[in-house]
């Protein structure tokens, strides 16, 4: 028997206390954390999809049908629902929702190693050995946390970038990789261990309150003691509230909505991401790996990666739109670099940071456009191009976060994105 | 083993002054020990009055560029990052950030454009006069009016044809700020500081008006632009004065109001005496001594990274020997857990990270070798300076060792069934071989961060705003590391090529993998080595390679001697401060890796005592542990008195801290193990060999999420002991914790087994006993009567005894008390 009805629980008064300290009333807190676009139209939630390995831009979103065959590769472009905008023929579902996203071509940098490129693309700051910058999700959720019974930031599988100098407090709550449709998800730390009923968990927590009194004299006035209480309360709410369990239960989704997605793990993760955002999670990081095609680029893309990306991402954009979440959710999709313009003898393409493409959607991104361009062989940006710094600044801007804001780390002021400029064409 | 200060001095003076040594001395010339009081002992020469006075009326004096003009611009904030110190300058006018580049700054003022900003042909049309007085538009706003002394100073300089730095100008010898220490009363509103510059030629000038001042804590005292101090609140901080490249701090003490009972200083050990002396000035009372139970838990966690077993808690509490705390410290210092804990500490400090090891196929082995090398030395209590020497002066092979012998030895060490003898090597060249310190820049940052506790990141590009390091200093130190690299020597190159031809089929992509496999099977493979290329820069085929060159000529040895020079004991200061921070949660200098002039120690006498004593002891790490652990300061209660609640800098009460990642993990393991297991401590301890237990990806990941650093940043303290959602969910509901609670060889299982066999009328007592046991193994103390009652009631209301026992253990693991070191 549960005498609480999702209302005030153990230590709730403390959580309210914490809110009070930051001058937020409960109602304004809940309002601030609801899934509506902020007043200036920027998003309040974010989804970052990382295509690990570095997808070849010229075989996905920046095709060069006019180039010589050793450059253009095997795939043909296909028209989309936006006149004049073409993408790869193996992305047919995305072609039908091109009005919902904007492509950025001619993004360029110089870091051709996976780990460095990964860090660069997810922080907007060229990696340096002396300081690790935080990834998007950590910054986004530090600035806009979730309501107390929901984790602010969830990463499906290993987050490609951690919280860096912001510290573990802002690291994502990580769940395991999804296996595929109807395979069930076990969420480590949220599912109760075998055989422990929820009311037993709650009984323990009630008694714990009587035992956890050693530092009572410091409560309300001590950073560590209050921090432990705050997170312990959050953990309890998350574990005991039906909200998260329901969000993770993909079987609750209507069959019609489920049909927007494929059956594989990536598609299911995209479906999960929508449910999480809907439940109040502020930021979700997903990844789809395998793009490091040094050989056999074309069959790998055609048979496995492109269908997977196509179903998952099209499902995500359609799904967000159906649920009215697209305006409030900033989406960014990128790898760590592009791939070499010339196809190798073994049918592969190597790392190529000098030119790449990425996709943005949601929030203030108007959709149905291409910003920037590469040259005739997709070897370099046509003009100056955009740096990862610019793209990070743009993503932050879309999330309602000033990319020029400053944090302090190692005793120095650190500008969030020091060198980037927001690409305002994406918002017009 | 003992090396006295005098001996050290002799050693250093015996050394020939090579060119490189001069560079080091120029690069790192400061002694943290140069306190203002020492400087003041020297006699004051005749004093030139302040520029504010001299230029307050018409005068013929032409001010000096370095002494007057630049400090004025600096003080006015002209060269700050937001103004003309910005990367691209401001409005076309660019000054070096925080001002160190005299030549460039002079050019900007006098030569950069026509008409120059300091226009000596038409002085009154100079931008440096018109802009700051807003006679011309100036985004940086108003700074002074025509007629103000600042205006006249600049005007006279321009009129005097804007002379640059003269070679005749004597360099600044010292900066004296008076008073040397300031005790503030709550009514003090305007206490002026006075700054006097003394130049090498003996002349002296009041430069108060040319200094930049700051307060390190404005809640205690404010210091305005003119160097006038005002009381803001109780506590202590420093006023910092900046002039030219000198930075001087003045301790400011604002005593706490309320009752104060003075402590007698006689009979106190040095640490306590020095702390009490400062507390007295602040009228700050110390907390009571902690209880025996608290001491046992605290010192076990701090010194050995692990909880005491329930059995040990009982014994210690029952022991009536007055000297039992000191005995406990000795017992723990001799334990294997001590070795593991401090090996870990040193591995973390020096950056032993599996993913930074230089040979990709052998990362795990190399990281283990690093651990083994340190572990052996911690176990043998090898002096800290010798451990440092082994790293700083790392060589892959001794002068008489052939390349073939070297390869044989290393290959044997990675053989699947080979001996692990790397720890017998004299040095640890892996320190310089790491991937993240390949560049000389990063070697410089790592060296200064690890061994000096100094952050040089700023000076990599510009003058350090809070210390005297300039980019030239950085480059001077960097020069030592430029030629250093982990690579194949020309001989190695040949051997390697021949080896590949003989053993690796052509066109194989994974040649490294094949070679690694051969080594594991017992074949001798070629290895890179740490070499010092003289002549041209780096590159594996250029320059002459010296392998363990003559000791006298070895630049790294010169650097090592410099580290040991007691006149600037950075190495000792940095280490004792870090160890102090480990025990107290905050360094005497805080942050612990920021020893800089503008961030002075909270108790300089204390830091000096420890640093000098550590050197005197022969860098004996156990000496340091004993000194600290036996002090009253370490043994204070966490419960503040009303008078010291607000204090966090003077060690008046214990600071609470969350257990570090590995320690929490091990504590849960130990608290949930049955008695036999706990006594043996045979678990896969997280405080131990880096990769010993990290084969389980899940646990490894968990530790990272709890704040264990991956040790990849070259100059950052990455560990995080903050509370986090992951840590809370881990303790409440992680399958790993549940597994530990429920394991068949766990405590819950053994108690439940025992309870089954107990006759009904003894059951009550048996249950009481298990509650007690649960407290001892988690919180290292007996339960209070009330807690006992709560737990017994919980048991009564549980469906089964097992539910009850399990629930109680779970609850105790989830108290704040469990994951706090109090």
């Amino acid at each position: 028997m549960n005498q609480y009805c999702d209302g005030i629980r153990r230590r709730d008064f403390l959580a309210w206390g914490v809110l009070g300290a930051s001058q937020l009333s409960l109602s304004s807190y809940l309002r601030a954390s609801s899934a509506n676009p902020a007043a200036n139209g920027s998003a309040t939630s974010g989804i970052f999809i990382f295509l690990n390995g570095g997808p070849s831009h010229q075989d996905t979103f920046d095709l060069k049908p006019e180039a010589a065959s050793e450059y253009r590769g095997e795939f043909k472009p296909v028209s989309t629902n936006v006149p004049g905008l073409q993408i790869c023929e193996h992305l047919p579902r995305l072609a039908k929702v091109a009005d919902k996203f904007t492509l950025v071509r001619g993004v360029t940098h110089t870091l051709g190693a996976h780990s460095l490129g990964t860090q660069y693309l997810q922080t907007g700051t060229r990696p340096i050995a002396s300081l690790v910058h935080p990834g998007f999700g950590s910054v986004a959720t530090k600035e806009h946390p979730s309501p107390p019974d929901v984790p602010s930031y969830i990463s499906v599988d290993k987050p490609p970038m951690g919280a860096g100098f912001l510290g573990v407090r802002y690291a994502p709550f990580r769940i395991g990789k999804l296996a595929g449709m109807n395979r069930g998800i076990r969420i480590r730390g949220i599912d109760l261990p075998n055989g422990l009923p929820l009311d037993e968990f709650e009984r323990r927590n009630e008694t714990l309150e009587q035992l956890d009194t050693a530092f009572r004299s410091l409560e309300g006035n001590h950073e560590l003691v209050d921090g432990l209480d705050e997170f312990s309360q959050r953990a309890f709410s998350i574990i005991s509230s039906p909200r998260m369990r329901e969000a993770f239960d993909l079987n609750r989704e209507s069959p019609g909505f489920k049909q927007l997605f494929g059956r594989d793990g990536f598609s299911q993760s995209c479906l999960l991401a929508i449910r999480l955002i809907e439940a109040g999670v502020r930021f979700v990081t997903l990844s789809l790996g395998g793009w490091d095609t040094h050989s056999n680029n074309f069959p790998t893309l055609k048979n496995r990666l492109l269908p997977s990306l196509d179903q998952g991402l099209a499902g995500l954009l359609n799904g967000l739109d159906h649920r009215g979440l697209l305006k409030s959710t900033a989406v960014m999709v990128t790898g760590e670099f592009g791939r070499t313009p010339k196809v190798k003898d073994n049918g592969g393409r190597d790392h190529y940071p000098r030119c790449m493409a990425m996709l943005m959607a949601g929030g203030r991104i108007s959709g149905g456009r291409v910003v920037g361009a590469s040259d005739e062989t997709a070897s370099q940006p046509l003009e100056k191009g955009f740096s990862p710094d610019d793209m990070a600044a743009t993503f932050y801007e879309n999330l309602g976060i000033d990319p020029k804001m400053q944090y302090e780390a190692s005793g120095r002021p650190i500008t969030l994105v020091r060198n980037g400029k927001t690409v305002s064409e994406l918002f017009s | 083993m003992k090396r006295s200060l005098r001996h050290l001095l002799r050693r250093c003076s015996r050394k020939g002054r090579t060119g490189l040594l001069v560079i080091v001395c120029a690069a790192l010339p400061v002694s943290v020990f140069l306190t203002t009081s020492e400087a003041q002992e020297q006699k004051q020469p005749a004093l030139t009055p302040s520029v504010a006075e001299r230029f307050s009326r018409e005068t013929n004096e032409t001010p000096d560029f370095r002494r007057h003009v630049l400090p004025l611009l600096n003080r006015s904030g002209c060269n700050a990052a937001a103004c003309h110190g910005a990367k691209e300058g401001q409005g076309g006018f660019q000054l070096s950030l925080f001002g160190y580049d005299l030549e460039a700054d002079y050019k900007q003022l006098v030569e950069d454009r026509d008409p120059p900003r300091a226009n000596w042909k038409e002085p009154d049309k100079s931008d440096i006069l018109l802009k700051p007085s807003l006679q011309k538009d100036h985004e940086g706003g108003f700074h002074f009016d025509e007629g103000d002394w600042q205006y006249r100073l600049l005007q006279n300089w321009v009129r005097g044809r804007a002379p640059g730095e003269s070679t005749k100008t004597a360099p600044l010898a010292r900066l004296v700020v008076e008073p040397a220490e300031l005790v503030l009363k709550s009514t003090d509103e305007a206490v002026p500081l006075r700054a006097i510059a003394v130049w090498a030629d003996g002349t002296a000038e009041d430069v108060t008006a040319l200094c930049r001042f700051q307060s390190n804590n404005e809640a205690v005292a404010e210091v305005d632009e003119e160097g006038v101090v005002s009381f803001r609140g109780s506590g202590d901080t420093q006023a910092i004065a900046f002039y030219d490249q000198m930075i001087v701090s003045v301790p400011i003490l604002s005593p706490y109001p309320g009752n104060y009972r003075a402590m007698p200083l006689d009979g106190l050990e040095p640490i306590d005496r020095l702390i009490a002396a400062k507390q007295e000035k602040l009228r700050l009372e110390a907390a009571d001594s902690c209880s025996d139970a608290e001491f046992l838990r605290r010192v076990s966690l701090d010194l050995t990274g692990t909880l005491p077993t329930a059995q040990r808690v009982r014994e210690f509490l029952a022991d009536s020997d007055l000297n039992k705390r000191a005995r406990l410290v000795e017992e723990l210092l001799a334990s294997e857990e001590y070795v593991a804990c401090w090996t870990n500490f040193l591995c973390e400090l020096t950056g032993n990270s599996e993913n930074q090891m230089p040979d990709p196929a052998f990362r795990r082995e190399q990281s283990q070798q690093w651990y083994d090398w340190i572990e052996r030395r911690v176990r043998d209590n090898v002096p800290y300076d010798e451990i440092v020497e082994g790293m700083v002066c790392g060589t892959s092979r001794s002068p008489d060792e052939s390349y073939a012998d070297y390869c044989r030895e290393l290959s044997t060490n990675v053989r699947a069934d080979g001996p692990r003898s790397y720890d017998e090597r004299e040095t640890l060249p892996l320190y310089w071989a790491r991937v993240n310190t390949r560049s000389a820049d990063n070697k410089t940052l790592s060296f200064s961060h690890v061994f000096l506790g100094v952050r040089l990141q700023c000076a990599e590009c510009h003058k350090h705003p809070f210390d005297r390091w300039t980019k030239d200093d950085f480059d001077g130190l960097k020069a030592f590391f430029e030629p250093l690299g982990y690579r194949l020597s020309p001989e190695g190159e040949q051997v390697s090529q021949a080896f590949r031809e003989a053993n690796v089929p052509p066109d194989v992509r994974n040649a490294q993998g094949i070679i690694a496999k051969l080594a594991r099977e017992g074949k001798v493979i070629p290895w890179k080595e740490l070499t010092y290329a003289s002549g041209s820069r780096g590159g594996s085929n250029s320059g002459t390679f010296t392998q363990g060159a003559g000791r006298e000529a070895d630049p790294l040895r010169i650097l090592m001697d410099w580290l040991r020079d007691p006149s600037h004991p950075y190495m000792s200061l940095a280490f004792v401060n870090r160890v102090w921070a480990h025990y107290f949660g905050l360094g005497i200098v805080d942050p612990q890796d920021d020893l800089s002039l503008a961030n002075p120690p909270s108790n300089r006498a204390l830091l000096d005592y420890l640093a000098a004593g550590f050197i005197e002891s022969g860098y004996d790490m156990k000496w340091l542990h004993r000194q600290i652990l036996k002090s009253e300061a370490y043994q204070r209660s966490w419960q503040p008195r009303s008078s010291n609640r607000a204090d966090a800098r003077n060690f008046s009460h214990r600071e609470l801290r969350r257990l570090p990642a590995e320690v929490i993990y091990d504590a849960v393991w130990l608290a949930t193990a049955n008695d036999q297991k706990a006594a043996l401590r045979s678990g896969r301890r997280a405080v131990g060999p880096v990769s010993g237990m990290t084969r389980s990806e899940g646990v490894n990941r968990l530790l990272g999420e709890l704040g264990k650093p991956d040790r990849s940043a070259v100059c950052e303290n990455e560990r995080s002991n903050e509370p986090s959602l992951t840590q809370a969910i881990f303790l409440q509901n992680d399958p790993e914790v549940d597994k530990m609670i429920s394991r068949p060889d766990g405590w819950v299982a053994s108690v439940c087994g025992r309870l089954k066999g107990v006759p009904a009328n003894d059951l009550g007592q048996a249950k009481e006993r298990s509650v007690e046991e649960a407290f001892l193994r988690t919180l290292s103390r007996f339960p209070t009567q009330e807690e006992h009652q709560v737990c017994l009631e919980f048991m009564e209301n549980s469906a089964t005894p097992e539910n009850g026992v399990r629930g109680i253990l779970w609850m105790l693991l989830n108290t704040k008390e469990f994951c706090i070191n109090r």
Side-chain angles (χ1 to χ4, degrees), chain A residues 174 188-189 193 203 212 410, chain B residues 455 701 733-734 798 816:
Chain A
R174 175 178 158 182
R188 181 180 186 134
R203 185 173 80 99
D212 194 12
S410 291
Chain B
R455 295 173 177 174
R701 174 193 120 192
N733 197 27
D734 196 86
S798 300
K816 293 188 283 295

Side-chain angles (χ1 to χ4, degrees), chain B residues 342-394:
Chain B
W342 290 88
T343 303
N344 240 19
F345 179 93
L346 287 170
C347 281
E348 184 167 322
L349 172 61
T350 53
N352 174 10
S353 165
E354 201 172 301
N355 49 28
Q356 300 301 335
M357 290 301 121
D359 294 297
F362 299 108
R363 283 191 176 151
R364 176 150 287 174
E365 285 91 340
Q366 287 178 321
S367 178
Q368 181 73 47
Q369 288 169 350
W370 186 317
Y371 184 90
D372 292 346
W373 191 90
I374 303 246
E375 186 191 40
R376 181 189 179 108
R377 281 150 185 83
V378 171
R379 183 173 289 119
D380 296 347
N381 199 31
V382 167
Y384 174 68
D385 63 327
E386 289 180 25
I387 297 179
V388 173
E389 182 173 11
M391 305 180 107
V392 170
C393 302

Side-chain angles (χ1 to χ4, degrees), chain B residues 147-330:
Chain B
D148 286 347
W149 67 264
Q150 294 95 328
Y151 191 94
R152 201 168 286 121
L153 188 154
L154 293 178
Q155 190 177 36
N156 278 20
W157 178 63
V158 182
R159 283 178 179 167
R161 302 181 74 93
E165 195 190 6
S166 157
T167 45
K168 279 178 277 176
T169 314
L172 185 60
R174 54 185 202 277
L175 180 67
V176 181
V177 181
E178 297 170 336
E181 180 179 279
L182 188 55
V183 178
L184 272 190
K185 291 191 296 290
S186 61
T187 48
D188 282 337
E189 270 305 319
V191 182
L193 297 176
R194 190 159 85 133
I196 292 156
V198 183
W199 283 279
D201 61 3
T203 55
E205 179 176 340
D206 182 331
V207 291
T208 314
L210 292 169
C211 281
R212 188 158 58 87
F213 291 98
Q214 77 175 37
S215 160
N216 275 5
N217 183 353
E218 302 214 321
V220 173
E222 265 177 35
V223 185
D224 73 9
E225 275 181 25
E226 322 295 327
V228 176
V229 183
S230 312
F231 172 90
R232 285 294 170 266
S234 303
D236 67 308
T237 186
Q238 292 94 3
I240 313 289
F242 303 76
Y243 175 75
D244 198 90
Q245 291 195 9
M246 294 274 180
I247 297 171
V248 170
S249 64
V250 175
I252 298 182
L253 301 134
S254 301
Y256 288 89
N259 294 334
Y260 172 73
R261 209 166 17 94
M263 282 226 305
L265 297 186
D266 311 336
L268 290 179
E269 293 293 321
I271 289 181
D272 290 314
R273 192 161 28 85
L274 295 168
I275 289 177
K278 180 157 176 225
Q279 284 175 351
E280 189 168 299
K281 283 184 191 166
L282 283 168
R283 294 175 58 82
L284 185 62
E285 287 181 332
D288 290 330
S289 183
C290 66
S291 69
D292 282 341
E294 282 174 327
F295 180 72
L296 172 63
R297 192 178 202 263
R298 178 187 299 178
V299 77
S300 302
L301 289 168
D302 282 344
L303 184 56
T304 65
T306 187
L307 286 179
T309 61
Q311 182 56 22
R312 191 70 189 90
V313 181
R314 283 182 195 280
E315 287 165 10
F316 188 72
L317 295 184
D319 189 345
S320 59
D321 183 358
L322 287 176
N323 202 29
K324 67 180 176 182
R325 292 192 182 186
R327 267 181 30 233
L328 175 66
V329 169
E330 293 306 322

